[in-house]
């Protein structure tokens, strides 16, 4: 027997994980830029937060923010705010900004698993790999190992950054906080490992995992918001991986046991992913594809109709989530108004005084939902690259469809879909507020306030389009801009940053109606900017080669 044949026989006998180590080395080489980019990017974000807060916040400012933290809206944004009664820079950083780092770790895990599993099957490369002595579960195991290494590296680097930052966190607390971020990332790695078994398409699998991430964020927010008002829904935060990490309370309680929930969830979801993988064929999904008719309907005869057909499932799920979330969030209007009299003056000023609490809350929710809809818009635009790499765009462009027409059709569905989602969010908030207060005039105000925020979403979609058109490999930089604008939108004015810094966020130009007047000039200007960015992306797409590998 030849040495090569003996090696093949040994690998075959080693079971369903044969070749995992070799695949892991291949993935590490393939992600030699992406791996450090994610780790350094999230760690530098922590470093930026710590240094920026250290520059603009003194002891008096921190004490003011401790008052703000008691507000249910602040709990909705950041979390329960452990230790804010004796607030320090480190506690404020952990309590208000930690969840955004967890979201980044979650996105890192979802994209990593999808990239190295379902996307490989969809492109046909997984079939070539499996033709060798590679076990059924080797690719998924290697992808999970890679994602675990990324989260471990993130925890180590974040610990060092946190200890060296102006917050000067002690090593045990800094390590606990960093492990909480990594633990949330691991849970969503496992969620993605399960999602890629369900659908035969990477776009749908990533969208499903992203929906779980969004639902976890909203469940955590509703639970913490209810807890801040003494409500009965605080248990919701214990259903979220973000809540588990936040309840470790670094720099206050320093308890490790909530992370056991994260590890248990990650292990169980991963095992479920392996079990489902054993029950499906390569390149197929557990959920069967619906069989189409013998003839395509007449309305599918244009690139615009095709773009809508491909995005309608995501739009349907987002529509349901935005409408339901709007109603739930709007129902908190009455408790906010009832508790306004007991709030500190500094906090009332943020919402326009006790008499303007209802309008201030609805105005803030328009900003909050605009940020959520921006996630849909960026995901939708960036899915163009998946269409291109899977060689589904090339046959369409080989026909009578122009490149600009194909791109513009897809982005138009995204733009109109964003407007539709903001409409539903506004209607939901208005219905919730009307049911809560009995004042149904709030329905029209909330709907208009949400609709006028849509151009902010369009600008981010346009930026993603421009990056895709010219530099598709760097299109993910749109997420960095989104994170920057979101943080400024939530905290910029409260931190009393300079006006030029605030103006750099797309979310701070239009005004939060009905609490503030609508700046129609900003609405028009942002809309024109979005159109210009989309046109720029179309021009770049016409001039570059297609990426099909």
């Amino acid at each position: 027997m030849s040495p090569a044949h003996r090696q093949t026989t040994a690998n075959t006998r080693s079971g369903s994980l044969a070749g995992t180590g070799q695949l892991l080395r291949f993935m590490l080489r393939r992600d030699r830029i992406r791996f450090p980019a994610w780790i350094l990017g999230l760690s530098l974000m922590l470093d930026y937060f710590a240094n920026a807060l250290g520059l603009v916040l003194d002891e008096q400012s921190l004490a003011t923010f401790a008052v703000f933290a008691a507000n249910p809206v602040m709990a909705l944004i950041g979390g329960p705010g452990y230790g804010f009664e004796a607030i320090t820079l480190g506690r404020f950083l952990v309590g208000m900004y930690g969840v955004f780092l967890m979201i980044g770790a979650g996105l890192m895990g979802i994209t990593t698993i999808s990239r190295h599993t379902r996307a490989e099957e969809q492109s046909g490369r997984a079939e070539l790999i499996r033709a060798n002595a590679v076990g059924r579960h080797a690719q998924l195991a290697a992808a999970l190992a890679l994602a675990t290494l990324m989260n471990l590296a993130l925890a180590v680097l974040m610990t060092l950054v946190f200890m060296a930052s102006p917050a000067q966190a002690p090593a045990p607390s800094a390590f606990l906080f960093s492990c909480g971020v990594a633990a949330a990332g691991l849970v969503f790695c496992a969620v993605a490992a399960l999602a890629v078994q369900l659908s035969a398409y990477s776009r749908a699998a990533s969208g499903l995992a992203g929906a779980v991430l969004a639902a976890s964020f909203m469940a955590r927010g509703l639970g913490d918001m209810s807890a801040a008002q003494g409500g009965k829904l605080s248990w919701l935060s214990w259903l979220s991986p973000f809540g588990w990490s936040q309840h470790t309370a670094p720099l206050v309680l320093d308890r490790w046991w909530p992370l056991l929930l994260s590890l248990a969830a990650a292990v169980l979801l991963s095992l479920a992913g392996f079990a489902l993988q054993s029950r499906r064929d390569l390149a197929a999904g557990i959920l069967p594809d619906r069989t189409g008719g013998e003839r395509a309907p007449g309305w599918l005869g244009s690139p615009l109709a095709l773009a809508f057909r491909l995005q309608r499932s995501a739009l349907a799920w987002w529509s349901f989530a935005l409408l339901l979330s709007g109603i739930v969030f709007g129902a908190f209007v009455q408790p906010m108004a009832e508790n306004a009299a007991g709030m500190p003056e500094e906090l009332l000023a943020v919402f326009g005084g006790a008499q303007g609490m209802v309008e201030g809350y609805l105005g803030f929710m328009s900003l909050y939902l605009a940020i959520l809809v921006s996630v849909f818009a960026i995901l939708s635009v960036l899915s163009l690259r998946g269409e291109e790499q899977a060689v589904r765009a090339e046959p369409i462009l080989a026909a009578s469809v122009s490149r600009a027409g194909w791109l513009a059709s897809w982005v138009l569905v995204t733009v109109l879909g964003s407007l539709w989602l903001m409409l539903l969010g506004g209607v939901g908030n208005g219905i919730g507020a009307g049911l809560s207060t009995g004042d149904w005039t709030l329905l029209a105000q909330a709907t208009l306030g949400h609709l006028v925020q849509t151009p902010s979403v369009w600008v981010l979609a346009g930026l993603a389009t421009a990056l895709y058109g010219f530099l598709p490999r760097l299109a993910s930089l749109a997420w960095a801009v989104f994170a920057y604008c979101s943080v400024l939108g939530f905290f910029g004015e409260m931190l009393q940053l300079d006006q030029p810094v605030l103006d750099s966020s797309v979310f701070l130009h239009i005004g939060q109606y009905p609490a503030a007047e609508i700046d129609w000039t900003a609405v028009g200007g942002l809309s024109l900017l979005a159109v210009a960015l989309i046109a720029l992306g179309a021009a770049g797409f016409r001039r570059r080669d297609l990426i099909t590998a």
Side-chain angles (χ1 to χ4, degrees):
M1 183 182 295
S2 66
H5 187 263
R6 284 197 300 269
Q7 180 64 36
T8 300
T9 303
N11 286 339
T12 303
R13 291 175 178 173
S14 63
S16 60
L17 297 178
T20 300
Q22 188 171 357
L23 282 177
L24 177 58
R25 290 192 294 272
F26 170 74
M27 292 176 184
L28 284 169
R29 189 187 184 293
R30 187 182 174 196
D31 282 5
R32 61 189 180 278
I33 296 177
R34 187 177 177 276
F35 188 125
W38 269 108
I39 304 307
L40 290 173
L42 290 173
S43 299
L44 288 175
M45 186 180 294
L46 172 62
D47 184 61
Y48 170 78
F49 287 157
N51 284 278
L53 292 173
L55 289 174
V56 300
L57 294 180
D58 53 19
E59 292 185 3
Q60 183 177 359
S61 300
L62 282 172
T64 302
F65 270 99
V67 175
F68 287 154
N71 177 25
V73 173
M74 296 301 291
L76 171 66
I77 297 173
Y82 283 106
F84 276 22
E85 64 279 358
I87 196 168
T88 63
L89 179 61
R91 290 176 177 178
F92 179 72
L93 178 64
V94 168
M96 284 288 104
Y97 291 85
V99 68
F100 297 99
L101 296 171
M102 295 174 199
I103 291 174
L107 291 173
M108 177 182 72
I110 290 171
T111 56
T112 298
I113 298 299
S114 179
R115 167 184 169 86
H116 291 291
T117 55
R118 177 54 68 181
E120 292 294 284
E121 292 187 41
Q122 197 171 330
S123 67
R125 289 189 292 265
E127 187 173 4
L128 296 176
I129 293 173
R130 288 278 295 276
N132 296 284
V134 174
R136 172 187 288 270
H137 300 314
Q139 196 153 21
L140 179 58
L144 286 169
L146 172 64
T148 301
L149 288 175
M150 293 176 75
N151 280 285
L152 290 176
L154 179 65
V156 172
L157 187 55
M158 272 194 174
T159 300
L160 298 176
V161 168
F162 201 8
M163 291 172 59
S165 72
Q168 296 180 342
S173 297
F175 187 55
L176 173 59
F177 170 71
S178 303
C179 286
V181 174
L186 286 175
V187 172
F188 289 106
C189 289
V191 169
L194 182 60
V196 295
Q197 313 307 323
L198 299 177
S199 174
Y201 301 100
S202 60
R203 181 179 65 246
S206 297
L208 178 59
V212 174
L213 185 147
S216 298
F217 180 76
M218 287 189 287
R220 193 277 317 157
L222 285 172
D224 291 336
M225 189 177 187
S226 178
Q229 293 182 318
K232 299 180 180 180
L233 298 177
S234 59
W235 55 270
L236 283 173
S237 64
W238 286 98
L239 301 180
S240 168
F242 300 126
W244 302 336
S245 292
Q246 288 186 318
H247 286 307
T248 59
L251 298 169
V252 183
L253 302 177
D254 283 340
R255 52 189 182 190
W256 285 86
W257 65 263
L259 296 187
L260 295 176
L261 298 175
S262 299
L263 294 178
V267 170
L268 292 175
L269 289 170
S270 298
L271 291 176
F274 284 116
L276 290 181
Q277 190 177 51
S278 300
R279 288 164 173 77
R280 68 174 179 87
D281 294 329
L282 187 67
I286 293 294
L287 300 177
D289 296 331
R290 291 185 298 174
T291 57
E294 294 182 1
R295 295 179 181 273
W299 63 270
L300 277 178
S302 69
L304 180 62
L306 178 61
F308 171 73
R309 172 66 179 81
L310 293 175
Q311 297 189 64
R312 67 179 184 180
S313 295
L315 268 172
W317 283 108
W318 275 90
S319 297
F320 173 77
L322 264 294
L323 181 61
L324 180 61
S325 299
I327 294 174
V328 173
F329 288 137
F332 280 89
V333 165
Q334 186 62 27
M336 289 284 292
E338 292 175 351
N339 295 327
M343 293 183 181
E345 294 182 1
E346 298 91 345
L347 185 58
L348 290 176
V350 175
F351 292 96
Q355 300 303 317
M357 178 61 68
V358 171
E359 290 77 11
Y361 176 75
L362 290 176
F364 171 80
M365 288 311 305
S366 69
L367 168 67
Y368 186 83
L369 291 184
I371 290 174
L372 288 181
V373 173
S374 297
V375 175
F376 159 80
I378 296 174
L379 282 173
S380 176
V381 172
L382 295 187
S383 63
L384 281 168
R385 191 180 178 197
E387 294 293 307
E388 185 178 349
Q389 287 183 307
V391 201
R392 289 191 294 270
E394 191 170 2
I396 297 174
L397 298 176
S400 59
V401 178
S402 67
R403 287 191 174 206
W406 178 74
L407 178 67
S409 297
W410 190 279
V411 177
L412 181 59
V413 173
T414 301
V415 166
L416 294 179
S418 301
L419 182 65
W420 166 252
L421 293 176
M422 289 301 297
L423 171 64
L424 287 181
V427 169
N429 259 319
I431 292 174
L435 291 172
S436 178
T437 64
D439 182 4
W440 287 99
T441 62
L442 297 175
L443 176 59
Q445 295 178 9
T447 302
L448 177 59
H450 284 67
L451 282 175
V452 296
Q453 293 291 340
T454 312
S456 303
V457 180
W458 290 345
V459 171
L460 292 175
L463 175 63
T465 305
L467 289 171
Y468 168 74
F470 280 95
L471 302 166
R473 298 185 187 279
L474 299 179
S476 295
L477 289 176
W479 289 116
V481 178
F482 162 75
Y484 173 81
C485 293
S486 300
V487 170
L488 284 182
F490 280 142
F491 303 109
E493 292 182 347
M494 287 184 287
L495 293 175
Q496 299 180 350
L497 300 178
D498 295 336
Q499 192 61 42
V501 178
L502 296 177
D503 290 341
S504 63
S505 172
V506 297
F507 297 114
L508 295 178
H509 292 275
I510 294 173
Q512 298 176 21
Y513 183 83
E517 292 297 324
I518 300 171
D519 188 339
W520 292 105
T521 302
V523 172
L526 289 174
S527 300
L528 291 175
L529 177 58
V531 171
L533 287 170
I534 293 170
L536 185 65
F541 184 60
R542 285 199 304 267
R543 288 167 173 77
R544 69 169 175 83
D545 294 332
L546 292 179
I547 299 174
T548 56

